[in-house]
Amino acid sequence: MSSASEPSTPYRFPFAKGVIVTQEKIQARIKEIAARIAFDYKDEVTWDRPLILVGVLKCSYMFMADLVRALADNGVPVKNEFICVSSYGSGTNSSGEVRMLLDLRVPIKGQHVLLVEDI
Protein backbone atom coordinates (compact mmCIF):
# COMPACT_ATOMS: atom_id res chain seq x y z
CA MET A 1 0.00 0.00 0.00
CA SER A 2 1.40 3.40 -0.95
CA SER A 3 1.46 6.44 1.30
CA ALA A 4 -0.31 9.69 0.47
CA SER A 5 2.96 11.25 -0.72
CA GLU A 6 3.73 8.49 -3.24
CA PRO A 7 2.14 8.45 -6.69
CA SER A 8 -0.38 5.67 -7.25
CA THR A 9 1.59 4.04 -10.04
CA PRO A 10 2.99 0.52 -10.11
CA TYR A 11 6.23 1.77 -11.66
CA ARG A 12 9.24 2.38 -9.44
CA PHE A 13 12.56 3.67 -10.65
CA PRO A 14 15.39 3.19 -8.13
CA PHE A 15 17.54 5.81 -9.89
CA ALA A 16 14.90 8.54 -9.48
CA LYS A 17 15.25 10.89 -6.52
CA GLY A 18 11.58 11.77 -6.51
CA VAL A 19 8.42 12.43 -8.46
CA ILE A 20 8.18 15.86 -10.08
CA VAL A 21 4.74 15.45 -11.64
CA THR A 22 2.42 12.60 -10.74
CA GLN A 23 0.88 10.29 -13.29
CA GLU A 24 -2.55 11.60 -12.29
CA LYS A 25 -1.55 15.20 -13.04
CA ILE A 26 -0.06 14.21 -16.39
CA GLN A 27 -3.22 12.33 -17.36
CA ALA A 28 -5.41 15.25 -16.26
CA ARG A 29 -3.36 17.64 -18.39
CA ILE A 30 -3.56 15.31 -21.40
CA LYS A 31 -7.36 15.29 -21.01
CA GLU A 32 -7.35 19.11 -20.95
CA ILE A 33 -5.19 19.25 -24.08
CA ALA A 34 -7.45 16.75 -25.85
CA ALA A 35 -10.54 18.76 -24.92
CA ARG A 36 -8.94 21.91 -26.37
CA ILE A 37 -7.95 20.10 -29.57
CA ALA A 38 -11.51 18.72 -29.84
CA PHE A 39 -12.89 22.24 -29.48
CA ASP A 40 -10.45 23.71 -32.01
CA TYR A 41 -11.15 21.04 -34.64
CA LYS A 42 -14.86 20.39 -33.96
CA ASP A 43 -15.93 21.75 -37.37
CA GLU A 44 -12.79 20.74 -39.26
CA VAL A 45 -12.37 16.97 -39.02
CA THR A 46 -14.68 14.08 -39.87
CA TRP A 47 -14.36 10.31 -39.97
CA ASP A 48 -13.66 10.69 -43.70
CA ARG A 49 -11.06 13.44 -43.10
CA PRO A 50 -9.61 12.77 -39.63
CA LEU A 51 -7.00 14.77 -37.77
CA ILE A 52 -3.63 13.25 -38.61
CA LEU A 53 -1.31 12.97 -35.63
CA VAL A 54 2.33 12.68 -36.66
CA GLY A 55 4.48 11.38 -33.83
CA VAL A 56 8.22 11.96 -33.87
CA LEU A 57 9.78 8.67 -32.80
CA LYS A 58 10.91 7.45 -30.45
CA CYS A 59 10.11 9.56 -27.44
CA SER A 60 6.64 10.79 -28.39
CA TYR A 61 4.92 7.42 -28.64
CA MET A 62 3.78 7.09 -25.00
CA PHE A 63 2.37 10.61 -24.87
CA MET A 64 0.81 10.19 -28.29
CA ALA A 65 -0.93 6.97 -27.25
CA ASP A 66 -2.46 8.70 -24.24
CA LEU A 67 -3.42 11.70 -26.38
CA VAL A 68 -5.09 9.50 -29.01
CA ARG A 69 -7.15 7.77 -26.30
CA ALA A 70 -8.18 11.13 -24.83
CA LEU A 71 -9.08 12.47 -28.28
CA ALA A 72 -11.22 9.37 -28.89
CA ASP A 73 -13.00 10.05 -25.59
CA ASN A 74 -13.79 13.51 -27.01
CA GLY A 75 -15.09 12.08 -30.29
CA VAL A 76 -12.19 13.35 -32.42
CA PRO A 77 -11.47 11.12 -35.42
CA VAL A 78 -7.71 10.63 -35.75
CA LYS A 79 -5.21 8.78 -37.88
CA ASN A 80 -1.74 8.00 -36.53
CA GLU A 81 1.48 8.37 -38.47
CA PHE A 82 5.10 8.43 -37.37
CA ILE A 83 8.38 9.88 -38.55
CA CYS A 84 11.86 9.33 -37.19
CA VAL A 85 14.60 11.91 -37.53
CA SER A 86 18.10 12.18 -36.14
CA SER A 87 20.70 14.87 -35.81
CA TYR A 88 22.82 13.12 -33.19
CA GLY A 89 24.24 10.07 -34.92
CA SER A 90 26.01 7.98 -32.31
CA GLY A 91 26.96 10.96 -30.11
CA THR A 92 25.15 13.16 -27.65
CA ASN A 93 25.75 16.47 -29.44
CA SER A 94 23.72 17.47 -32.48
CA SER A 95 25.59 17.52 -35.77
CA GLY A 96 23.24 20.24 -37.01
CA GLU A 97 22.29 18.00 -39.94
CA VAL A 98 18.87 16.39 -39.68
CA ARG A 99 18.48 12.97 -41.28
CA MET A 100 15.06 11.47 -42.04
CA LEU A 101 15.18 7.84 -40.87
CA LEU A 102 11.46 7.10 -41.33
CA ASP A 103 9.16 9.20 -43.47
CA LEU A 104 5.37 9.36 -43.66
CA ARG A 105 3.63 6.57 -45.55
CA VAL A 106 0.74 8.72 -46.75
CA PRO A 107 0.52 12.21 -48.25
CA ILE A 108 -0.65 14.88 -45.79
CA LYS A 109 -1.01 17.84 -48.15
CA GLY A 110 -4.35 19.56 -47.55
CA GLN A 111 -4.99 17.59 -44.33
CA HIS A 112 -5.25 18.78 -40.73
CA VAL A 113 -2.00 17.62 -39.13
CA LEU A 114 -0.83 17.81 -35.53
CA LEU A 115 2.86 17.16 -34.91
CA VAL A 116 3.50 15.33 -31.62
CA GLU A 117 7.07 15.83 -30.38
CA ASP A 118 8.74 15.14 -27.06
CA ILE A 119 10.68 18.40 -26.78
Side-chain angles (χ1 to χ4, degrees):
M1 175 147 259
S2 64
S3 70
S5 63
E6 292 180 15
S8 61
T9 177
Y11 309 109
R12 299 288 181 250
F13 302 98
F15 56 84
K17 293 182 181 180
V19 174
I20 297 171
V21 181
T22 66
Q23 181 175 345
E24 291 81 9
K25 285 185 179 182
I26 292 170
Q27 291 302 318
R29 183 64 180 130
I30 289 171
K31 288 178 182 180
E32 290 172 10
I33 292 168
R36 176 59 193 257
I37 293 168
F39 176 80
D40 289 346
Y41 285 96
K42 69 178 180 275
D43 298 324
E44 304 295 326
V45 296
T46 64
W47 292 107
D48 294 329
R49 283 183 50 95
L51 177 62
I52 299 174
L53 272 62
V54 177
V56 180
L57 292 173
K58 296 182 181 179
C59 295
S60 71
Y61 81 98
M62 294 289 280
F63 171 73
M64 188 163 151
D66 289 340
L67 181 60
V68 167
R69 283 189 284 270
L71 287 169
D73 290 345
N74 281 276
V76 179
V78 298
K79 180 176 182 180
N80 302 322
E81 288 292 329
F82 291 95
I83 61 172
C84 187
V85 295
S86 175
S87 67
Y88 292 93
S90 61
T92 56
N93 293 324
S94 176
S95 66
E97 181 181 327
V98 178
R99 294 180 315 130
M100 181 69 74
L101 304 177
L102 175 66
D103 204 348
L104 296 171
R105 297 173 297 153
V106 297
I108 59 172
K109 184 176 182 178
Q111 303 293 317
H112 290 283
V113 177
L114 183 65
L115 185 65
V116 182
E117 170 61 281
D118 70 322
I119 297 177

